[in-house]
Amino acid sequence: MARTALIVGVTGQDGAYLAHHLLALGYRVVGTSRDAQTSNSSRLVRLGIQDSISVASLAPNDFRSVLKVVSDVAPDEVYNLAGQTSVGLSFEQPVECMESIAGGTLNLLEVIRYLQIPARLFSAGSSECFGDTREEPANETTALHPQSPYAVAKATAYWQVANYRKAYGMHACTGILANHESPLRPTRFVTQKIIQGVRKIKAGEAEKITLGNLEIWRDWGWAPEYTQAMHLMLQSDQPDDFLIASGRTTSLRDFVERAFVAAGLRSADHLELDTAMLRPNDLDYSAMNPSKIELQLGWKAHTTIDQIVDKMYAGELF
Ligand code: NDP
């Protein structure tokens, strides 16, 4: 019997890559979107898997809809990837952010507990929860210092998962994800905004790209590798939280420079800075130490930051 995976938030970057990976492993995959009738299936289409999965409507913050889908699907594994995903948007819509991330995670935990099914739960956490790490890389024991509504919601979800694991013995865990990119990244995120902007300049459709702050440092990885780590975490009989990161920290300036190099252009001719684009409370420096997942599960990020930028520019999906 094929195992069944339920991917909550299948229409996003990670949902699409994870569905692709699980189908290749022989899973039956059911995905969800808030409205399956009108959802954006473009990523599933790009990966050629739209006809290999079914998509159900599920609003993470609506208990009834979560209960209905989980009981209908009877999954062996549940991947909780949905919710508001933009730090910038979370400053504009903080209630929606909290309800979709923390409320959504709580609903999934409660439904699995209420139905008393043996489903394992992976929940997508965020390295944003650590706040500014300076040059001391964060690991799974580092205290959380969330600095945005998004990070506060992710920190809440993290503790909900940890508490349900301990209190009810559930196989539930959080993958604390550092930034990860691909051509499937939505355009609202700065990395994809840069790639699309440079592409337009190269095509003669634009003169410049405008950014707020180049002196931010992040740990960037390659999304297909990160979705493999999500699956790996649920294969361990001992549920635990893991940081999923590359262990390399790069500045946004270097990311931009590489994008211009990929296009054969000079950044000095086409880059404009605008301080009006700065966020209320952005992190300067985010560094990660993912040695626990390498030691315990044997997972490691292999794609370098230059390869990531080049693949995004070229539109290489894998
Ligand atoms: P995307 O933004 O690509 O996809 C997000 C998904 O969530 C979509 O399927 C969308 O589905 C759904 N969604 C969007 N807004 C809401 C909302 N307000 N309420 C409920 N559902 C919503 O995200 P990724 O695939 O990149 O990320 C997957 C998970 O990993 C997310 O939880 C994200 O926060 C987390 N993460 C991602 C990182 C990254 O670098 N990519 C880094 C750290 C954490 P639909 O519109 O069809 O309902």
Side-chain angles (χ1 to χ4, degrees), residues 248-283:
R248 302 171 310 248
T249 310
T250 307
S251 71
L252 190 63
R253 182 179 296 282
D254 286 345
F255 190 104
V256 177
E257 288 298 336
R258 182 72 194 187
F260 278 106
V261 168
L265 298 167
R266 276 164 32 96
S267 63
D269 299 334
H270 303 285
L271 187 58
E272 192 172 67
L273 295 179
D274 180 359
T275 51
M277 296 176 78
L278 297 179
R279 283 182 193 153
N281 193 14
D282 213 348
L283 303 184

PDB file of all heavy atoms in Angstrom, residues 248-283:
ATOM      1  N   ARG A 248      26.116  28.553   5.528  1.00  0.00           N
ATOM      2  CA  ARG A 248      26.873  29.644   4.892  1.00  0.00           C
ATOM      3  C   ARG A 248      26.043  30.919   4.973  1.00  0.00           C
ATOM      4  O   ARG A 248      24.843  30.894   4.735  1.00  0.00           O
ATOM      5  CB  ARG A 248      27.081  29.412   3.390  1.00  0.00           C
ATOM      6  CG  ARG A 248      27.771  28.173   2.957  1.00  0.00           C
ATOM      7  CD  ARG A 248      27.631  28.103   1.436  1.00  0.00           C
ATOM      8  NE  ARG A 248      26.263  28.284   1.006  1.00  0.00           N
ATOM      9  CZ  ARG A 248      25.533  27.318   0.448  1.00  0.00           C
ATOM     10  NH1 ARG A 248      26.043  26.140   0.218  1.00  0.00           N
ATOM     11  NH2 ARG A 248      24.290  27.546   0.096  1.00  0.00           N
ATOM     12  N   THR A 249      26.692  32.005   5.262  1.00  0.00           N
ATOM     13  CA  THR A 249      25.973  33.278   5.325  1.00  0.00           C
ATOM     14  C   THR A 249      26.501  34.206   4.235  1.00  0.00           C
ATOM     15  O   THR A 249      27.716  34.354   4.087  1.00  0.00           O
ATOM     16  CB  THR A 249      26.154  33.923   6.712  1.00  0.00           C
ATOM     17  OG1 THR A 249      25.841  32.931   7.687  1.00  0.00           O
ATOM     18  CG2 THR A 249      25.240  35.106   6.905  1.00  0.00           C
ATOM     19  N   THR A 250      25.580  34.806   3.498  1.00  0.00           N
ATOM     20  CA  THR A 250      25.958  35.633   2.343  1.00  0.00           C
ATOM     21  C   THR A 250      25.191  36.950   2.437  1.00  0.00           C
ATOM     22  O   THR A 250      24.056  36.973   2.927  1.00  0.00           O
ATOM     23  CB  THR A 250      25.542  34.913   1.030  1.00  0.00           C
ATOM     24  OG1 THR A 250      26.074  33.595   1.047  1.00  0.00           O
ATOM     25  CG2 THR A 250      26.049  35.639  -0.202  1.00  0.00           C
ATOM     26  N   SER A 251      25.796  38.024   1.949  1.00  0.00           N
ATOM     27  CA  SER A 251      25.077  39.306   1.971  1.00  0.00           C
ATOM     28  C   SER A 251      24.178  39.420   0.751  1.00  0.00           C
ATOM     29  O   SER A 251      24.445  38.820  -0.302  1.00  0.00           O
ATOM     30  CB  SER A 251      26.055  40.473   1.995  1.00  0.00           C
ATOM     31  OG  SER A 251      26.693  40.582   0.737  1.00  0.00           O
ATOM     32  N   LEU A 252      23.134  40.236   0.903  1.00  0.00           N
ATOM     33  CA  LEU A 252      22.259  40.476  -0.248  1.00  0.00           C
ATOM     34  C   LEU A 252      23.056  41.154  -1.365  1.00  0.00           C
ATOM     35  O   LEU A 252      22.813  40.923  -2.543  1.00  0.00           O
ATOM     36  CB  LEU A 252      21.057  41.334   0.158  1.00  0.00           C
ATOM     37  CG  LEU A 252      19.976  41.435  -0.904  1.00  0.00           C
ATOM     38  CD1 LEU A 252      19.357  40.081  -1.218  1.00  0.00           C
ATOM     39  CD2 LEU A 252      18.874  42.401  -0.475  1.00  0.00           C
ATOM     40  N   ARG A 253      24.040  41.954  -0.973  1.00  0.00           N
ATOM     41  CA  ARG A 253      24.899  42.604  -1.987  1.00  0.00           C
ATOM     42  C   ARG A 253      25.560  41.546  -2.878  1.00  0.00           C
ATOM     43  O   ARG A 253      25.592  41.677  -4.101  1.00  0.00           O
ATOM     44  CB  ARG A 253      25.964  43.469  -1.294  1.00  0.00           C
ATOM     45  CG  ARG A 253      26.868  44.221  -2.249  1.00  0.00           C
ATOM     46  CD  ARG A 253      27.884  45.074  -1.500  1.00  0.00           C
ATOM     47  NE  ARG A 253      27.272  46.125  -0.718  1.00  0.00           N
ATOM     48  CZ  ARG A 253      26.805  47.286  -1.226  1.00  0.00           C
ATOM     49  NH1 ARG A 253      26.885  47.518  -2.520  1.00  0.00           N
ATOM     50  NH2 ARG A 253      26.257  48.193  -0.445  1.00  0.00           N
ATOM     51  N   ASP A 254      26.086  40.484  -2.258  1.00  0.00           N
ATOM     52  CA  ASP A 254      26.737  39.437  -3.049  1.00  0.00           C
ATOM     53  C   ASP A 254      25.731  38.694  -3.931  1.00  0.00           C
ATOM     54  O   ASP A 254      26.057  38.293  -5.050  1.00  0.00           O
ATOM     55  CB  ASP A 254      27.479  38.449  -2.134  1.00  0.00           C
ATOM     56  CG  ASP A 254      28.755  39.063  -1.582  1.00  0.00           C
ATOM     57  OD1 ASP A 254      29.197  40.096  -2.126  1.00  0.00           O
ATOM     58  OD2 ASP A 254      29.295  38.524  -0.602  1.00  0.00           O
ATOM     59  N   PHE A 255      24.521  38.508  -3.399  1.00  0.00           N
ATOM     60  CA  PHE A 255      23.473  37.859  -4.201  1.00  0.00           C
ATOM     61  C   PHE A 255      23.190  38.695  -5.453  1.00  0.00           C
ATOM     62  O   PHE A 255      23.134  38.177  -6.579  1.00  0.00           O
ATOM     63  CB  PHE A 255      22.194  37.704  -3.354  1.00  0.00           C
ATOM     64  CG  PHE A 255      21.139  36.846  -3.997  1.00  0.00           C
ATOM     65  CD1 PHE A 255      20.899  35.556  -3.573  1.00  0.00           C
ATOM     66  CD2 PHE A 255      20.361  37.338  -5.049  1.00  0.00           C
ATOM     67  CE1 PHE A 255      19.929  34.751  -4.172  1.00  0.00           C
ATOM     68  CE2 PHE A 255      19.389  36.553  -5.654  1.00  0.00           C
ATOM     69  CZ  PHE A 255      19.172  35.258  -5.207  1.00  0.00           C
ATOM     70  N   VAL A 256      23.045  39.999  -5.249  1.00  0.00           N
ATOM     71  CA  VAL A 256      22.744  40.899  -6.378  1.00  0.00           C
ATOM     72  C   VAL A 256      23.893  40.885  -7.384  1.00  0.00           C
ATOM     73  O   VAL A 256      23.676  40.785  -8.604  1.00  0.00           O
ATOM     74  CB  VAL A 256      22.525  42.343  -5.872  1.00  0.00           C
ATOM     75  CG1 VAL A 256      22.294  43.286  -7.041  1.00  0.00           C
ATOM     76  CG2 VAL A 256      21.353  42.406  -4.927  1.00  0.00           C
ATOM     77  N   GLU A 257      25.122  40.982  -6.870  1.00  0.00           N
ATOM     78  CA  GLU A 257      26.295  41.013  -7.766  1.00  0.00           C
ATOM     79  C   GLU A 257      26.310  39.761  -8.640  1.00  0.00           C
ATOM     80  O   GLU A 257      26.546  39.821  -9.835  1.00  0.00           O
ATOM     81  CB  GLU A 257      27.589  41.084  -6.948  1.00  0.00           C
ATOM     82  CG  GLU A 257      27.841  42.431  -6.273  1.00  0.00           C
ATOM     83  CD  GLU A 257      27.990  43.575  -7.262  1.00  0.00           C
ATOM     84  OE1 GLU A 257      28.339  43.338  -8.428  1.00  0.00           O
ATOM     85  OE2 GLU A 257      27.720  44.734  -6.862  1.00  0.00           O
ATOM     86  N   ARG A 258      26.053  38.613  -8.015  1.00  0.00           N
ATOM     87  CA  ARG A 258      26.095  37.357  -8.764  1.00  0.00           C
ATOM     88  C   ARG A 258      24.995  37.324  -9.840  1.00  0.00           C
ATOM     89  O   ARG A 258      25.203  36.806 -10.941  1.00  0.00           O
ATOM     90  CB  ARG A 258      25.922  36.184  -7.804  1.00  0.00           C
ATOM     91  CG  ARG A 258      26.001  34.845  -8.478  1.00  0.00           C
ATOM     92  CD  ARG A 258      27.417  34.518  -8.912  1.00  0.00           C
ATOM     93  NE  ARG A 258      27.473  33.401  -9.827  1.00  0.00           N
ATOM     94  CZ  ARG A 258      28.595  32.830 -10.249  1.00  0.00           C
ATOM     95  NH1 ARG A 258      29.761  33.280  -9.839  1.00  0.00           N
ATOM     96  NH2 ARG A 258      28.573  31.816 -11.076  1.00  0.00           N
ATOM     97  N   ALA A 259      23.836  37.888  -9.508  1.00  0.00           N
ATOM     98  CA  ALA A 259      22.739  37.907 -10.493  1.00  0.00           C
ATOM     99  C   ALA A 259      23.146  38.736 -11.717  1.00  0.00           C
ATOM    100  O   ALA A 259      22.871  38.348 -12.855  1.00  0.00           O
ATOM    101  CB  ALA A 259      21.473  38.460  -9.856  1.00  0.00           C
ATOM    102  N   PHE A 260      23.806  39.859 -11.470  1.00  0.00           N
ATOM    103  CA  PHE A 260      24.254  40.676 -12.612  1.00  0.00           C
ATOM    104  C   PHE A 260      25.351  39.949 -13.406  1.00  0.00           C
ATOM    105  O   PHE A 260      25.375  40.017 -14.631  1.00  0.00           O
ATOM    106  CB  PHE A 260      24.728  42.059 -12.135  1.00  0.00           C
ATOM    107  CG  PHE A 260      23.591  43.031 -11.930  1.00  0.00           C
ATOM    108  CD1 PHE A 260      23.165  43.384 -10.662  1.00  0.00           C
ATOM    109  CD2 PHE A 260      22.925  43.577 -13.028  1.00  0.00           C
ATOM    110  CE1 PHE A 260      22.100  44.267 -10.473  1.00  0.00           C
ATOM    111  CE2 PHE A 260      21.861  44.467 -12.864  1.00  0.00           C
ATOM    112  CZ  PHE A 260      21.448  44.812 -11.577  1.00  0.00           C
ATOM    113  N   VAL A 261      26.229  39.253 -12.684  1.00  0.00           N
ATOM    114  CA  VAL A 261      27.267  38.472 -13.381  1.00  0.00           C
ATOM    115  C   VAL A 261      26.612  37.408 -14.271  1.00  0.00           C
ATOM    116  O   VAL A 261      27.003  37.221 -15.432  1.00  0.00           O
ATOM    117  CB  VAL A 261      28.235  37.814 -12.358  1.00  0.00           C
ATOM    118  CG1 VAL A 261      29.123  36.767 -13.033  1.00  0.00           C
ATOM    119  CG2 VAL A 261      29.081  38.875 -11.665  1.00  0.00           C
ATOM    120  N   ALA A 262      25.587  36.742 -13.721  1.00  0.00           N
ATOM    121  CA  ALA A 262      24.900  35.694 -14.498  1.00  0.00           C
ATOM    122  C   ALA A 262      24.342  36.259 -15.807  1.00  0.00           C
ATOM    123  O   ALA A 262      24.282  35.572 -16.819  1.00  0.00           O
ATOM    124  CB  ALA A 262      23.774  35.074 -13.668  1.00  0.00           C
ATOM    125  N   ALA A 263      23.956  37.548 -15.769  1.00  0.00           N
ATOM    126  CA  ALA A 263      23.360  38.175 -16.956  1.00  0.00           C
ATOM    127  C   ALA A 263      24.404  38.852 -17.834  1.00  0.00           C
ATOM    128  O   ALA A 263      24.068  39.398 -18.894  1.00  0.00           O
ATOM    129  CB  ALA A 263      22.320  39.201 -16.513  1.00  0.00           C
ATOM    130  N   GLY A 264      25.672  38.862 -17.368  1.00  0.00           N
ATOM    131  CA  GLY A 264      26.711  39.551 -18.129  1.00  0.00           C
ATOM    132  C   GLY A 264      26.563  41.064 -18.068  1.00  0.00           C
ATOM    133  O   GLY A 264      26.896  41.778 -19.025  1.00  0.00           O
ATOM    134  N   LEU A 265      26.042  41.577 -16.936  1.00  0.00           N
ATOM    135  CA  LEU A 265      25.839  43.028 -16.771  1.00  0.00           C
ATOM    136  C   LEU A 265      26.634  43.523 -15.567  1.00  0.00           C
ATOM    137  O   LEU A 265      27.064  42.731 -14.733  1.00  0.00           O
ATOM    138  CB  LEU A 265      24.357  43.327 -16.538  1.00  0.00           C
ATOM    139  CG  LEU A 265      23.384  42.956 -17.664  1.00  0.00           C
ATOM    140  CD1 LEU A 265      21.942  43.015 -17.146  1.00  0.00           C
ATOM    141  CD2 LEU A 265      23.559  43.891 -18.857  1.00  0.00           C
ATOM    142  N   ARG A 266      26.785  44.869 -15.485  1.00  0.00           N
ATOM    143  CA  ARG A 266      27.457  45.474 -14.322  1.00  0.00           C
ATOM    144  C   ARG A 266      26.409  46.063 -13.384  1.00  0.00           C
ATOM    145  O   ARG A 266      25.571  46.866 -13.800  1.00  0.00           O
ATOM    146  CB  ARG A 266      28.378  46.607 -14.787  1.00  0.00           C
ATOM    147  CG  ARG A 266      29.767  46.192 -15.255  1.00  0.00           C
ATOM    148  CD  ARG A 266      30.430  47.310 -16.040  1.00  0.00           C
ATOM    149  NE  ARG A 266      30.054  48.644 -15.590  1.00  0.00           N
ATOM    150  CZ  ARG A 266      30.757  49.397 -14.728  1.00  0.00           C
ATOM    151  NH1 ARG A 266      31.895  48.954 -14.240  1.00  0.00           N
ATOM    152  NH2 ARG A 266      30.329  50.599 -14.367  1.00  0.00           N
ATOM    153  N   SER A 267      26.453  45.667 -12.102  1.00  0.00           N
ATOM    154  CA  SER A 267      25.442  46.160 -11.159  1.00  0.00           C
ATOM    155  C   SER A 267      25.486  47.684 -11.057  1.00  0.00           C
ATOM    156  O   SER A 267      24.450  48.337 -10.906  1.00  0.00           O
ATOM    157  CB  SER A 267      25.657  45.533  -9.783  1.00  0.00           C
ATOM    158  OG  SER A 267      26.907  45.913  -9.270  1.00  0.00           O
ATOM    159  N   ALA A 268      26.688  48.257 -11.145  1.00  0.00           N
ATOM    160  CA  ALA A 268      26.832  49.719 -10.978  1.00  0.00           C
ATOM    161  C   ALA A 268      25.984  50.487 -11.995  1.00  0.00           C
ATOM    162  O   ALA A 268      25.547  51.603 -11.726  1.00  0.00           O
ATOM    163  CB  ALA A 268      28.301  50.101 -11.127  1.00  0.00           C
ATOM    164  N   ASP A 269      25.715  49.884 -13.128  1.00  0.00           N
ATOM    165  CA  ASP A 269      24.939  50.586 -14.168  1.00  0.00           C
ATOM    166  C   ASP A 269      23.427  50.495 -13.950  1.00  0.00           C
ATOM    167  O   ASP A 269      22.668  51.232 -14.582  1.00  0.00           O
ATOM    168  CB  ASP A 269      25.245  49.974 -15.551  1.00  0.00           C
ATOM    169  CG  ASP A 269      26.718  50.121 -15.908  1.00  0.00           C
ATOM    170  OD1 ASP A 269      27.350  51.068 -15.393  1.00  0.00           O
ATOM    171  OD2 ASP A 269      27.232  49.279 -16.669  1.00  0.00           O
ATOM    172  N   HIS A 270      22.992  49.592 -13.080  1.00  0.00           N
ATOM    173  CA  HIS A 270      21.545  49.308 -13.056  1.00  0.00           C
ATOM    174  C   HIS A 270      20.938  49.204 -11.660  1.00  0.00           C
ATOM    175  O   HIS A 270      19.765  48.844 -11.540  1.00  0.00           O
ATOM    176  CB  HIS A 270      21.276  47.984 -13.783  1.00  0.00           C
ATOM    177  CG  HIS A 270      21.757  47.954 -15.189  1.00  0.00           C
ATOM    178  ND1 HIS A 270      21.121  48.600 -16.205  1.00  0.00           N
ATOM    179  CD2 HIS A 270      22.852  47.365 -15.734  1.00  0.00           C
ATOM    180  CE1 HIS A 270      21.780  48.402 -17.338  1.00  0.00           C
ATOM    181  NE2 HIS A 270      22.839  47.654 -17.076  1.00  0.00           N
ATOM    182  N   LEU A 271      21.704  49.462 -10.618  1.00  0.00           N
ATOM    183  CA  LEU A 271      21.190  49.251  -9.258  1.00  0.00           C
ATOM    184  C   LEU A 271      20.934  50.581  -8.572  1.00  0.00           C
ATOM    185  O   LEU A 271      21.778  51.483  -8.595  1.00  0.00           O
ATOM    186  CB  LEU A 271      22.231  48.442  -8.464  1.00  0.00           C
ATOM    187  CG  LEU A 271      21.829  47.975  -7.090  1.00  0.00           C
ATOM    188  CD1 LEU A 271      20.575  47.111  -7.136  1.00  0.00           C
ATOM    189  CD2 LEU A 271      22.980  47.170  -6.483  1.00  0.00           C
ATOM    190  N   GLU A 272      19.767  50.695  -7.925  1.00  0.00           N
ATOM    191  CA  GLU A 272      19.383  51.932  -7.257  1.00  0.00           C
ATOM    192  C   GLU A 272      18.947  51.575  -5.829  1.00  0.00           C
ATOM    193  O   GLU A 272      18.270  50.558  -5.641  1.00  0.00           O
ATOM    194  CB  GLU A 272      18.185  52.491  -8.025  1.00  0.00           C
ATOM    195  CG  GLU A 272      17.788  53.890  -7.697  1.00  0.00           C
ATOM    196  CD  GLU A 272      16.719  54.335  -8.707  1.00  0.00           C
ATOM    197  OE1 GLU A 272      15.601  53.779  -8.672  1.00  0.00           O
ATOM    198  OE2 GLU A 272      17.033  55.195  -9.539  1.00  0.00           O
ATOM    199  N   LEU A 273      19.330  52.397  -4.855  1.00  0.00           N
ATOM    200  CA  LEU A 273      18.922  52.140  -3.469  1.00  0.00           C
ATOM    201  C   LEU A 273      17.883  53.165  -3.040  1.00  0.00           C
ATOM    202  O   LEU A 273      17.974  54.334  -3.407  1.00  0.00           O
ATOM    203  CB  LEU A 273      20.125  52.193  -2.536  1.00  0.00           C
ATOM    204  CG  LEU A 273      21.169  51.107  -2.778  1.00  0.00           C
ATOM    205  CD1 LEU A 273      22.333  51.244  -1.816  1.00  0.00           C
ATOM    206  CD2 LEU A 273      20.538  49.718  -2.634  1.00  0.00           C
ATOM    207  N   ASP A 274      16.893  52.699  -2.259  1.00  0.00           N
ATOM    208  CA  ASP A 274      15.836  53.603  -1.800  1.00  0.00           C
ATOM    209  C   ASP A 274      15.512  53.243  -0.349  1.00  0.00           C
ATOM    210  O   ASP A 274      14.941  52.185  -0.080  1.00  0.00           O
ATOM    211  CB  ASP A 274      14.601  53.422  -2.695  1.00  0.00           C
ATOM    212  CG  ASP A 274      13.462  54.337  -2.258  1.00  0.00           C
ATOM    213  OD1 ASP A 274      13.635  55.082  -1.272  1.00  0.00           O
ATOM    214  OD2 ASP A 274      12.403  54.279  -2.910  1.00  0.00           O
ATOM    215  N   THR A 275      15.868  54.140   0.568  1.00  0.00           N
ATOM    216  CA  THR A 275      15.671  53.835   1.997  1.00  0.00           C
ATOM    217  C   THR A 275      14.188  53.763   2.370  1.00  0.00           C
ATOM    218  O   THR A 275      13.838  53.199   3.398  1.00  0.00           O
ATOM    219  CB  THR A 275      16.366  54.883   2.895  1.00  0.00           C
ATOM    220  OG1 THR A 275      15.957  56.172   2.451  1.00  0.00           O
ATOM    221  CG2 THR A 275      17.864  54.756   2.856  1.00  0.00           C
ATOM    222  N   ALA A 276      13.317  54.293   1.527  1.00  0.00           N
ATOM    223  CA  ALA A 276      11.868  54.199   1.808  1.00  0.00           C
ATOM    224  C   ALA A 276      11.412  52.740   1.778  1.00  0.00           C
ATOM    225  O   ALA A 276      10.330  52.416   2.279  1.00  0.00           O
ATOM    226  CB  ALA A 276      11.081  55.012   0.784  1.00  0.00           C
ATOM    227  N   MET A 277      12.229  51.864   1.198  1.00  0.00           N
ATOM    228  CA  MET A 277      11.831  50.451   1.107  1.00  0.00           C
ATOM    229  C   MET A 277      12.279  49.639   2.325  1.00  0.00           C
ATOM    230  O   MET A 277      12.030  48.429   2.381  1.00  0.00           O
ATOM    231  CB  MET A 277      12.430  49.829  -0.157  1.00  0.00           C
ATOM    232  CG  MET A 277      11.893  50.468  -1.419  1.00  0.00           C
ATOM    233  SD  MET A 277      12.703  49.814  -2.870  1.00  0.00           S
ATOM    234  CE  MET A 277      11.872  48.242  -3.046  1.00  0.00           C
ATOM    235  N   LEU A 278      12.926  50.288   3.294  1.00  0.00           N
ATOM    236  CA  LEU A 278      13.378  49.536   4.472  1.00  0.00           C
ATOM    237  C   LEU A 278      12.175  49.081   5.297  1.00  0.00           C
ATOM    238  O   LEU A 278      11.180  49.783   5.400  1.00  0.00           O
ATOM    239  CB  LEU A 278      14.293  50.408   5.346  1.00  0.00           C
ATOM    240  CG  LEU A 278      15.601  50.859   4.709  1.00  0.00           C
ATOM    241  CD1 LEU A 278      16.392  51.737   5.678  1.00  0.00           C
ATOM    242  CD2 LEU A 278      16.441  49.650   4.298  1.00  0.00           C
ATOM    243  N   ARG A 279      12.286  47.901   5.922  1.00  0.00           N
ATOM    244  CA  ARG A 279      11.204  47.388   6.764  1.00  0.00           C
ATOM    245  C   ARG A 279      11.304  47.994   8.158  1.00  0.00           C
ATOM    246  O   ARG A 279      12.373  48.424   8.568  1.00  0.00           O
ATOM    247  CB  ARG A 279      11.333  45.872   6.891  1.00  0.00           C
ATOM    248  CG  ARG A 279      10.870  45.146   5.681  1.00  0.00           C
ATOM    249  CD  ARG A 279      11.010  43.670   5.960  1.00  0.00           C
ATOM    250  NE  ARG A 279      10.863  42.908   4.730  1.00  0.00           N
ATOM    251  CZ  ARG A 279      11.412  41.727   4.539  1.00  0.00           C
ATOM    252  NH1 ARG A 279      12.151  41.176   5.461  1.00  0.00           N
ATOM    253  NH2 ARG A 279      11.219  41.089   3.419  1.00  0.00           N
ATOM    254  N   PRO A 280      10.184  47.940   8.940  1.00  0.00           N
ATOM    255  CA  PRO A 280      10.223  48.525  10.283  1.00  0.00           C
ATOM    256  C   PRO A 280      11.327  47.930  11.167  1.00  0.00           C
ATOM    257  O   PRO A 280      11.931  48.626  11.966  1.00  0.00           O
ATOM    258  CB  PRO A 280       8.847  48.178  10.856  1.00  0.00           C
ATOM    259  CG  PRO A 280       7.967  47.965   9.683  1.00  0.00           C
ATOM    260  CD  PRO A 280       8.846  47.467   8.573  1.00  0.00           C
ATOM    261  N   ASN A 281      11.597  46.655  11.068  1.00  0.00           N
ATOM    262  CA  ASN A 281      12.500  46.013  12.033  1.00  0.00           C
ATOM    263  C   ASN A 281      13.204  44.839  11.365  1.00  0.00           C
ATOM    264  O   ASN A 281      13.033  43.700  11.766  1.00  0.00           O
ATOM    265  CB  ASN A 281      11.664  45.537  13.240  1.00  0.00           C
ATOM    266  CG  ASN A 281      12.531  45.159  14.417  1.00  0.00           C
ATOM    267  OD1 ASN A 281      13.717  45.480  14.435  1.00  0.00           O
ATOM    268  ND2 ASN A 281      11.948  44.483  15.385  1.00  0.00           N
ATOM    269  N   ASP A 282      14.002  45.109  10.338  1.00  0.00           N
ATOM    270  CA  ASP A 282      14.611  44.026   9.572  1.00  0.00           C
ATOM    271  C   ASP A 282      15.809  43.439  10.312  1.00  0.00           C
ATOM    272  O   ASP A 282      16.470  44.123  11.093  1.00  0.00           O
ATOM    273  CB  ASP A 282      15.056  44.544   8.199  1.00  0.00           C
ATOM    274  CG  ASP A 282      14.911  43.453   7.136  1.00  0.00           C
ATOM    275  OD1 ASP A 282      14.687  42.285   7.514  1.00  0.00           O
ATOM    276  OD2 ASP A 282      15.011  43.784   5.951  1.00  0.00           O
ATOM    277  N   LEU A 283      16.074  42.158  10.062  1.00  0.00           N
ATOM    278  CA  LEU A 283      17.256  41.527  10.648  1.00  0.00           C
ATOM    279  C   LEU A 283      18.471  41.895   9.813  1.00  0.00           C
ATOM    280  O   LEU A 283      18.413  41.842   8.595  1.00  0.00           O
ATOM    281  CB  LEU A 283      17.129  40.001  10.594  1.00  0.00           C
ATOM    282  CG  LEU A 283      15.927  39.340  11.237  1.00  0.00           C
ATOM    283  CD1 LEU A 283      16.083  37.835  11.148  1.00  0.00           C
ATOM    284  CD2 LEU A 283      15.811  39.787  12.659  1.00  0.00           C
TER     285      LEU A 283
END
